[in-house]
Amino acid sequence: MGYLVGLLVIALAGLTSAVLYAPRQSPVVYPPPQGSAIQESYFAFQLKSFRRSLKECAEYWEIPWYRVQKLIDNNFEHASKDLQCLIRCAGVNSGWWDDLDGLRYTVIESYFQPDEDDTCYADRTKECIDQRLSSCKTDCAKAYESFMCYLQQYGSLKSSEEYIPLTRLEAIQVAVDCINILQVSDDLLNQISQGEIPDVPEVHCLYRCQYLGEGVYDTQYRFNFSRLYIRHYDTPSPEFLGEEIYSCAQSTLEANSDECTGVFRARECFPVSDRPSRTVTILTTAAGVALDQKRCEPPIYREPYLPEIPFIQIDPADIFTCCSDVDGSCKVACESLSLVKLGADSNAKGWKLHDLRSNCAPTLTPFWDCINTTLGSVQRGINWPGRLCCSLGMSPRCQNACAIAANQTELAVGCRHSDEQRLYGCVQRQEVGDSCCATARTSECLQACKDIFRTNQTPNRQQRDLLQSTCSNNNSNILLCIKEYIEVTENTNLKHCKQTP
Ligand SMILES: *[C@@H]1O[C@H](CO)[C@@H](O)[C@H](O)[C@H]1NC(C)=O
Ligand SMILES: *[C@@H]1O[C@H](CO)[C@@H](O)[C@H](O)[C@H]1NC(C)=O
Ligand SMILES: *[C@@H]1O[C@H](CO)[C@@H](O)[C@H](O)[C@H]1NC(C)=O
Ligand SMILES: *[C@@H]1O[C@H](CO)[C@@H](O)[C@H](O)[C@H]1NC(C)=O
């Protein structure tokens, strides 16, 4: 369920980031005892077996388990497209796959056990991945092929539960919790939010709390370096697995009577990277969020929400930017404009613009220019079939990007593939639908055809009958087109899948 919970968290973040960052229930007694006396934090990390992440994904994608079992029995070979996507989903679910970054090998490694006398499993795996991933493949196929390389070259698939590193968003949540638990002062938060990490006792305890929450430190067993290795998937550092770092950290901890300080100083044993430390960037963001909460203002929608996306700036105009230039009833009218609704529904457009005209003075030239540009962007992609799906976007940023996109590529500006699977699923279906229905010769057939693609369900009897009766004369190519698509996605017949290697 972790995956579904994860999606839910993101969905909530989309509705209002205040919900996400609000202090949540944790096993910590509140208000907390002072300083290093705190033993517990919110343990946010998860352990999960590969089988469990598959199971959650099968539930999520409504793939019957007997098909998955059959795949497992066949050593995962010759997976059909939807089962390849299931493997990708399991990869996202357990943190070893990300459509943008690709394979996170520090994470996937923990699911496989090399043979004792095998010394070149790592090289073979790398070679296999280099070979199979070189061509232009879908994300599902890439994730599947990566997994297969590990399965066939690295070692046997373990059944044990393994450590899943927190996503950046989750790690920020842990940091916000820690800031609340430790009652970090505003002055200090101000400093941290600007990227300064002063060497003071409060900060030492903040690090300890963060490490506890992420599961890489434990009061009894101290640092867990296998997990630190996994956690730093951005900058894989085999040094974490060496003997040296272990003894260095151990002696630093022993040399400091204060546990928080020991933890803080032990970081000096960690591998040096040329990137800013993950923890620093997380604390910096979290400090900003915590400050916003204290000001009792709605939290500012901050950049780090989708940190790894390379932003392609298409059009800086965005309805929220326009609204920030005006006040009073005009601002209210502006903020109630939804780009998604404007794009999807021309009635809503008339209505809402009327509202805007009666509340905003025509003399507000920069404001109207801004609105005009934004509406221009909406208009540009009005015929893109994916437009219908924009309300499925989980974050406001993604909804906005969707509302001004004119094709699927442009979605990537604000919509992360791994977080916005419903949206991307819908867009794909609409695009296929659009290309099938485009050849309709009569409006009745067009309508019946569009109806088939409107929802994600398998078409019901009535829909199919209507399609048959309206499209069978002179539109039989449409029937073929739809049949092919529905078969690819709905058919649970393995024979069909085996034909495509
Ligand atoms: C460290 O983490 C690994 C991976 O989750 C786990 O197998 C191991 O038991 C942990 N070690 C300790 C001492 O907790
Ligand atoms: C709004 O933009 C359109 C082009 O998208 C332009 O023709 C029109 O003059 C603009 N109107 C105003 C008031 O700027
Ligand atoms: C999508 O739109 C962008 C920008 O308008 C364009 O460069 C790109 O070729 C388009 N992609 C497709 C698949 O149409
Ligand atoms: C089907 O197409 C043919 C010519 O291609 C035309 O003569 C006929 O009237 C069309 N039938 C219908 C029902 O549109």
Side-chain angles (χ1 to χ4, degrees):
M1 293 316 280
Y3 180 65
L4 300 182
V5 171
L7 283 177
L8 190 64
V9 166
I10 291 157
L12 289 176
L15 293 177
T16 151
S17 35
V19 175
L20 175 68
Y21 290 122
R24 62 182 171 192
Q25 277 200 318
S26 74
V28 179
V29 184
Y30 201 87
Q34 286 304 305
S36 63
I38 299 162
Q39 291 301 317
E40 299 293 330
S41 164
Y42 184 89
F43 296 113
F45 69 98
Q46 290 188 71
L47 300 172
K48 215 181 263 189
S49 67
F50 180 73
R51 191 181 173 88
R52 199 177 123 207
S53 52
L54 262 188
K55 219 168 176 131
E56 287 170 359
C57 284
E59 270 172 36
Y60 185 72
W61 290 109
E62 298 179 352
I63 294 180
W65 184 253
Y66 76 87
R67 291 190 59 209
V68 184
Q69 189 59 52
K70 208 160 185 175
L71 182 71
I72 297 173
D73 295 344
N74 285 336
N75 288 325
F76 295 93
E77 281 174 28
H78 309 303
S80 58
K81 274 189 198 158
D82 61 338
L83 291 176
Q84 294 188 357
C85 290
L86 185 70
I87 300 289
R88 172 194 162 276
C89 172
V92 174
N93 191 355
S94 38
W96 57 257
W97 182 260
D98 180 290
D99 289 340
L100 291 164
D101 302 344
L103 183 67
R104 292 170 174 163
Y105 64 82
T106 69
V107 189
I108 195 172
E109 278 173 10
S110 50
Y111 287 91
F112 294 90
Q113 181 66 54
D115 274 356
E116 248 169 64
D117 48 3
D118 189 352
T119 51
C120 40
Y121 60 90
D123 290 343
R124 280 201 317 270
T125 309
K126 188 177 176 305
E127 201 174 303
C128 170
I129 288 176
D130 288 348
Q131 270 173 12
R132 296 211 204 161
L133 263 61
S134 52
S135 57
C136 185
K137 286 191 164 130
T138 64
D139 290 325
C140 291
K142 282 187 204 156
Y144 170 71
E145 294 295 354
S146 307
F147 170 81
M148 289 308 280
C149 284
Y150 271 85
L151 187 69
Q152 291 164 352
Q153 308 297 343
Y154 196 91
S156 40
L157 187 56
K158 294 192 212 167
S159 60
S160 49
E161 295 191 319
E162 298 299 331
Y163 173 72
I164 303 177
L166 262 53
T167 63
R168 205 186 136 85
L169 192 61
E170 291 165 338
I172 291 169
Q173 176 72 67
V174 169
V176 172
D177 288 349
C178 285
I179 286 168
N180 287 323
I181 290 167
L182 296 166
Q183 297 177 315
V184 177
S185 72
D186 287 7
D187 281 349
L188 193 50
L189 285 181
N190 264 318
Q191 265 180 292
I192 299 176
S193 69
Q194 282 156 34
E196 287 169 47
I197 308 289
D199 186 347
V200 295
E202 290 92 332
V203 168
H204 300 172
C205 289
L206 195 53
Y207 268 83
R208 175 178 170 279
C209 180
Q210 183 72 24
Y211 288 155
L212 279 168
E214 291 200 47
V216 292
Y217 178 81
D218 178 294
T219 34
Q220 190 183 352
Y221 298 108
R222 305 307 180 102
F223 284 103
N224 186 323
F225 288 107
S226 338
R227 291 185 184 172
L228 275 164
Y229 170 70
I230 295 171
R231 174 188 187 249
H232 287 83
Y233 49 77
D234 289 351
T235 47
S237 313
E239 293 94 325
F240 276 122
L241 303 176
E243 195 52 43
E244 208 171 302
I245 192 169
Y246 177 82
S247 40
C248 173
Q250 208 63 20
S251 55
T252 311
L253 286 168
E254 277 159 21
N256 287 278
S257 58
D258 182 77
E259 194 192 335
C260 290
T261 308
V263 168
F264 187 77
R265 300 258 179 272
R267 289 161 46 255
E268 287 159 19
C269 306
F270 289 10
V272 193
S273 153
D274 48 2
R275 293 210 219 171
S277 125
R278 178 176 160 100
T279 317
V280 172
T281 60
I282 286 165
L283 292 180
T284 305
T285 309
V289 172
L291 280 173
D292 288 342
Q293 282 176 358
K294 290 195 176 186
R295 287 193 201 104
C296 305
E297 284 165 7
I300 297 165
Y301 190 67
R302 273 170 194 278
E303 197 59 13
Y305 180 50
L306 293 168
E308 290 107 5
I309 291 201
F311 283 103
I312 326 157
Q313 282 295 342
I314 299 182
D315 189 342
D318 153 322
I319 212 94
F320 300 128
T321 328
C322 303
C323 304
S324 67
D325 288 333
V326 291
D327 305 302
S329 60
C330 174
K331 194 185 190 81
V332 174
C334 177
E335 283 177 341
S336 73
L337 275 179
S338 153
L339 283 188
V340 170
K341 291 206 187 105
L342 284 181
D345 178 353
S346 47
N347 279 340
K349 186 170 175 176
W351 251 99
K352 287 293 179 185
L353 290 185
H354 177 78
D355 220 26
L356 206 58
R357 283 199 192 96
S358 48
N359 284 292
C360 303
T363 48
L364 297 167
T365 317
F367 168 74
W368 284 108
D369 282 345
C370 180
I371 292 284
N372 198 27
T373 316
T374 308
L375 293 180
S377 314
V378 172
Q379 201 60 36
R380 191 176 59 96
I382 200 84
N383 292 322
W384 176 50
R387 197 43 83 68
L388 282 174
C389 306
C390 292
S391 60
L392 293 176
M394 284 178 171
S395 73
R397 155 164 241 146
C398 173
Q399 288 208 350
N400 246 319
C402 181
I404 60 174
N407 66 36
Q408 205 185 129
T409 321
E410 292 178 358
L411 270 187
V413 180
C415 309
R416 247 186 104 127
H417 225 296
S418 52
D419 294 338
E420 299 283 356
Q421 294 179 349
R422 281 182 67 206
L423 174 66
Y424 277 97
C426 171
V427 166
Q428 251 144 28
R429 190 178 172 93
Q430 293 305 326
E431 288 191 339
V432 173
D434 194 62
S435 62
C436 282
C437 303
T439 54
R441 296 258 173 81
T442 66
S443 61
E444 290 89 334
C445 170
L446 180 65
Q447 220 41 54
C449 179
K450 282 191 166 170
D451 202 40
I452 297 281
F453 290 94
R454 189 157 298 138
T455 70
N456 242 343
Q457 315 290 321
T458 312
N460 61 30
R461 172 110 228 157
Q462 201 185 352
Q463 286 173 308
R464 276 177 288 157
D465 287 348
L466 192 62
L467 188 73
Q468 275 293 342
S469 60
T470 55
C471 302
S472 48
N473 280 341
N474 284 4
N475 286 297
S476 51
N477 53 335
I478 289 195
L479 296 181
L480 282 176
C481 179
I482 291 179
K483 192 150 166 273
E484 192 168 79
Y485 175 70
I486 301 291
E487 253 177 21
V488 170
T489 56
E490 321 280 355
N491 199 339
T492 54
N493 181 349
L494 276 174
K495 246 190 327 190
H496 169 80
C497 309
K498 277 203 178 135
Q499 290 163 1
T500 41

